[in-house]
């Protein structure tokens, strides 16, 4: 919900003018307004607003009682309880925004307040000579930082703000805090992040925690919907959201949104079935392949990535988000994170033991801010739509990431339902025949990565475009042009070249992390490259 920019140091009127101009590059994240707080010689906070909670009076920056000012991108799900506690202590609130609790907590608790939050956030606050910047534990909300030639520190929601303002810049690490007095340090600590092995021997409470995660993400003062690919993850989110919305309002009918290259694409077929089963008002959008290819430059500008699976999946999400915006919906729930938490990608079948399986899930969750949550945030926010991700709820993660990997790991190949037993533990939690949440065919649907599910022709079209665009000579010289993360395919070269033109220099390239599946001979990120994918199984037979 918004874009933020903060500059700390010897900020004068000229630098403020530069920062304000740079913040225009965040206008897509905050089309509903902007605000500035400036203290000469100390710093400036700039906010671009997407109005979701209290649209009428929740403008930022927000101000406390004791001189504090704050800007925030994200949602604070326990804001009502925090507000009640602060009001009991004599704090007065000026709006119904969930963000306003943050400035009062900052004044009362200093930088320790971030550990009290249940939500997602990138935030910056200042008071007198003190300032603090923080990012949520998983990095659901994007944040970058850098230093200009004069020594001032810059923090911004997107890389494009810093690329020509700072001498160096980096990704701000999730779960960290940066203070004017103490520098950068980690604030979010969990034993599972460090590879602990004191596992839970059952999954009791998994469904209850996930339902709570979905329920809290329904908070909104503007129209809300769900992204529905027809896969297990988005379907569970959509089904629970529809059920919970009806509990709040028996007449409520949630809107669901799906995209595919044609009406017979795997995702559209499955999403249609789910929408009919759960009773949503369903929308389908068609992705034109030529239109998708033409959008590549815009996609790389918005996602700030050259990672192949990120780019492939961002195009359909970007096109779908434009349609969602045009329907007047500003918030959507999505299923990102489940595959990383539960080892849902097909390559997890070939993990070399349970310890390796667990290490890979932890590593994938740690790096979601480079991949799926980056895609979900930036592809939707490109059109002023906010994506919320219940599978990355902190209470849910504390349970799901500490379950014995022997319970989470998929059945070995040949043990029945090949290609369909990934995330068996999650499926079992919702496979109640007395209270069916989803149609059985969808509950046990094979994993399709989003860029495949929209239609198998999409990835082929991208590869063909790259083959026609990138020469053999360019590929032969790829290592000289791109010594860091040298592309190994023409598709990778195409994305890297587009990225380099938009974000030149080594610092920008190092803000991206490429991903390829482990434990399989074909390193292509498409799920169809895995020998257990149904299309590969049929071909082998």
């Amino acid at each position: 919900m918004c874009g933020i920019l903060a500059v700390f140091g010897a900020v004068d009127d000229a630098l403020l003018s530069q920062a304000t101009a740079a913040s225009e590059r965040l206008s897509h994240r905050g089309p509903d307004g902007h605000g500035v707080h400036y203290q000469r010689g100390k710093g400036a906070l700039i906010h671009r607003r997407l109005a979701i909670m209290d649209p009428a009076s929740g403008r930022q920056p927000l101000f406390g009682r004791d001189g504090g000012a704050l800007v925030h991108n994200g949602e604070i799900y326990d804001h009502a309880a925090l507000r009640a506690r602060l009001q009991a202590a004599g704090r007065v609130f000026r709006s119904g925004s969930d963000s306003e609790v943050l400035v009062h907590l900052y004044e009362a608790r200093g930088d320790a307040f971030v550990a009290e939050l249940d939500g997602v956030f990138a935030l910056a606050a200042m008071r007198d000579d003190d300032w603090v910047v923080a990012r949520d534990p998983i990095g659901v909300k994007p944040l970058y930082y850098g230093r200009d030639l004069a020594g001032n520190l810059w923090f911004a929601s997107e890389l494009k703000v810093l690329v020509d303002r700072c001498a160096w810049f980096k990704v701000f690490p999730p779960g960290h805090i940066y203070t004017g007095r103490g520098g950068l340090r980690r604030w979010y600590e969990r034993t599972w992040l460090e590879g602990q092995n004191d596992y839970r021997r059952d999954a009791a409470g998994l469904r209850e925690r996930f339902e709570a995660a979905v329920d809290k993400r329904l908070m909104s003062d503007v129209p809300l919907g769900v992204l529905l690919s027809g896969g297990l993850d988005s379907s569970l989110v959509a089904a629970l959201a529809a059920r919970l919305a009806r509990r709040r309002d028996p007449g409520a009918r949630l809107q669901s949104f799906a995209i595919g290259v044609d009406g017979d694409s795997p995702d559209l077929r499955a999403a249609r079935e789910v929408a009919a089963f759960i009773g949503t008002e369903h929308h389908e959008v068609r992705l034109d392949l030529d239109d998708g290819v033409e959008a590549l430059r815009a996609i790389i500008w918005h996602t700030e990535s050259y990672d192949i699976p990120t780019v492939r999946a961002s195009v359909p999400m970007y096109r779908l988000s434009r349609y969602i915006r045009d329907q007047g919906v500003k918030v959507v729930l999505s299923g990102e994170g489940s595959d990383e938490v539960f080892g849902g990608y097909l390559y997890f079948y070939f993990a070399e033991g349970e310890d390796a399986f667990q290490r890979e899930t932890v590593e994938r969750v740690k790096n979601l801010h480079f991949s799926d949550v980056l895609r979900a945030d930036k592809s939707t926010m490109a059109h002023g739509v906010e994506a919320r991700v219940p599978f990355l709820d902190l209470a849910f993660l504390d349970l799901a990431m500490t379950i014995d990997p022997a319970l989470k790991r998929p059945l070995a190949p040949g043990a029945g339902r090949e290609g369909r037993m990934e995330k068996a533990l999650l499926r079992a939690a919702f496979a109640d025949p007395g209270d069916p949440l989803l149609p059985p065919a969808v509950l046990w649907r094979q994993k399709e990565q989003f860029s495949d599910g929209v239609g198998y022709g999409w990835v082929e079209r991208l590869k063909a475009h790259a083959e026609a665009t990138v020469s053999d000579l360019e590929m032969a010289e790829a290592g000289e042009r791109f010594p860091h993360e040298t592309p190994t395919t023409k598709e990778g070269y195409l994305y890297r070249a587009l990225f380099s033109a938009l974000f030149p220099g080594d610092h920008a390239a190092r803000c991206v992390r490429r991903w390829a599946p482990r434990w399989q001979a074909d390193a292509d990120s498409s799920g169809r490259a895995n020998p257990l994918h149904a299309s590969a199984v049929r071909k082998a037979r």
Side-chain angles (χ1 to χ4, degrees):
M1 59 170 269
C2 315
I4 66 170
L5 169 60
V7 185
F8 298 111
V11 181
D12 56 16
D13 292 348
L15 186 55
L16 176 65
S17 178
Q18 293 175 27
T20 302
S23 76
E24 291 294 324
R25 296 179 183 177
L26 299 174
S27 59
H28 54 281
R29 297 187 67 90
D32 298 329
H34 67 278
V36 178
H37 173 67
Y38 167 44
Q39 290 181 252
R40 177 183 289 275
K42 296 179 181 179
L45 304 176
I46 302 176
H47 188 260
R48 305 289 311 203
R49 188 183 187 207
L50 178 65
I52 290 175
M53 299 299 295
D54 191 4
S57 59
R59 293 188 60 182
Q60 298 190 39
L62 294 159
F63 299 96
R65 182 186 66 187
D66 306 322
L70 177 141
V71 289
H72 167 229
N73 170 34
E75 310 91 37
I76 305 303
Y77 299 119
D78 60 344
H79 72 99
L82 292 170
R83 178 185 294 257
R85 194 181 82 198
L86 289 161
Q87 287 175 324
R91 295 277 173 169
V92 176
F93 286 76
R94 301 181 178 91
S95 76
S97 168
D98 59 303
S99 301
E100 192 175 353
V101 299
L102 299 173
V103 68
H104 292 287
L105 285 171
Y106 167 60
E107 289 182 340
R109 301 263 290 131
D111 57 48
F113 81 96
V114 295
E116 301 182 40
L117 304 179
D118 178 13
V120 295
F121 52 85
L123 61 86
M126 60 188 302
R127 178 186 176 198
D128 299 326
D129 292 326
D130 183 49
W131 58 263
V132 59
V133 178
R135 190 177 185 189
D136 68 73
I138 308 301
V140 173
K141 292 302 169 187
L143 191 62
Y144 299 83
Y145 73 115
R147 194 180 292 274
D148 64 22
L149 290 173
N152 303 299
L153 276 166
W154 292 59
F155 301 84
S157 293
E158 294 190 0
L159 177 64
K160 56 182 63 68
V161 176
L162 308 182
V163 70
D164 54 3
R165 300 289 177 183
C166 293
W168 62 261
F169 43 87
K170 300 178 181 179
V171 175
F172 192 98
H176 281 67
I177 191 168
Y178 202 132
T179 65
R181 295 188 173 94
L184 183 68
R185 63 176 175 82
R186 171 174 283 281
W187 68 267
Y188 180 75
E189 301 284 354
R190 289 294 189 276
T191 54
W192 63 264
L193 278 171
E194 306 307 320
Q196 66 90 32
N197 57 8
D198 184 19
Y199 299 124
R200 301 168 188 260
R201 302 304 173 184
D202 61 52
L206 191 69
R207 176 167 179 158
E208 292 75 14
R209 289 205 192 186
F210 188 64
E211 288 184 355
V214 173
D215 191 36
K216 69 179 70 169
R217 282 162 179 79
L218 295 178
M219 74 173 198
S220 177
D221 293 332
V222 297
L224 177 147
V226 291
L227 299 179
L228 180 57
S229 71
L232 175 66
D233 309 326
S234 68
S235 296
L236 286 177
V237 171
L240 285 171
R243 181 176 292 189
L244 292 165
R246 284 194 294 270
R247 285 181 191 170
R248 298 181 181 198
D249 176 4
R253 193 174 182 211
L254 203 64
Q255 295 190 70
S256 56
F257 302 90
I259 188 168
V261 298
D262 58 57
D264 197 44
S265 68
D267 280 2
L268 286 186
R269 291 199 311 268
R272 223 173 276 144
E273 183 178 1
V274 174
F277 190 87
I278 66 177
T280 57
E281 179 184 336
H282 192 54
H283 304 255
E284 291 186 357
V285 175
R286 302 298 165 86
L287 174 66
D288 179 83
L289 296 182
D290 290 337
D291 182 54
V293 167
E294 289 176 5
L296 284 174
R297 188 179 187 279
I299 288 300
I300 290 171
W301 170 251
H302 280 292
T303 62
E304 304 175 325
S305 178
Y306 51 82
D307 174 56
I308 290 175
T310 296
V311 175
R312 287 176 176 176
S314 291
V315 173
M317 185 170 266
Y318 174 83
R319 289 305 193 210
L320 183 60
S321 298
R322 181 175 63 186
Y323 174 87
I324 291 169
R325 176 204 63 192
D326 292 345
Q327 306 313 301
V329 173
K330 283 190 171 184
V331 180
V332 288
L333 273 63
S334 187
E336 273 76 22
S338 175
D339 289 309
E340 289 74 15
V341 172
F342 291 99
Y345 296 109
L346 294 181
Y347 77 89
F348 274 94
Y349 274 93
F350 303 104
E352 298 159 349
E354 290 163 7
D355 288 344
F357 177 91
Q358 176 71 6
R359 285 195 301 272
E360 181 71 358
T361 61
V362 172
E363 185 69 13
R364 292 301 308 272
V365 171
K366 280 183 177 181
N367 289 311
L368 271 167
H369 64 291
F370 288 111
S371 56
D372 283 17
V373 297
L374 177 148
R375 166 180 53 80
D377 178 273
K378 293 183 179 179
S379 298
T380 56
M381 288 297 286
H383 297 294
V385 176
E386 175 186 282
R388 296 179 179 174
V389 285
F391 279 106
L392 298 178
D393 179 81
L394 298 183
F396 181 75
L397 282 177
D398 281 343
L399 191 159
M401 292 303 295
T402 55
I403 293 172
D404 191 333
L407 300 178
K408 294 169 68 175
R409 193 178 178 194
L411 295 178
R417 288 195 176 181
E418 289 185 41
R420 291 175 172 80
M421 287 300 290
E422 75 277 2
K423 292 184 287 192
L425 180 67
L426 181 63
R427 297 174 195 274
F430 291 93
D432 182 355
D435 182 25
L437 198 63
L438 293 171
V442 173
L443 186 65
W444 295 101
R445 182 188 172 197
Q446 173 187 259
K447 169 64 187 174
E448 292 282 9
Q449 289 169 218
F450 185 45
S451 54
D452 292 327
V454 296
Y456 294 163
W458 171 232
V459 171
E460 275 64 32
R461 180 70 174 84
L462 289 171
K463 289 181 176 180
H465 174 66
E467 187 67 33
T469 304
V470 179
S471 71
D472 292 341
L473 177 60
E474 285 175 313
M475 281 303 300
E477 297 176 347
E480 297 176 23
R481 182 177 180 187
F482 304 117
H484 173 72
E485 294 277 28
T486 303
T488 58
T489 67
K490 288 189 175 182
E491 186 185 8
Y493 187 103
L494 173 63
Y495 303 158
R496 183 63 186 278
L498 288 169
F499 178 90
S500 181
L502 293 166
F503 306 102
D506 190 57
H507 290 296
R510 291 181 181 277
C511 289
V512 179
R513 181 167 297 183
R514 295 188 307 177
W515 175 78
R518 300 182 63 188
W519 306 310
Q520 68 182 48
D522 191 332
D524 191 285
S525 59
S526 167
R528 289 177 295 138
N530 188 285
L532 288 180
H533 190 278
S535 64
V537 171
R538 286 194 296 268
K539 190 181 298 183
R541 289 172 180 165

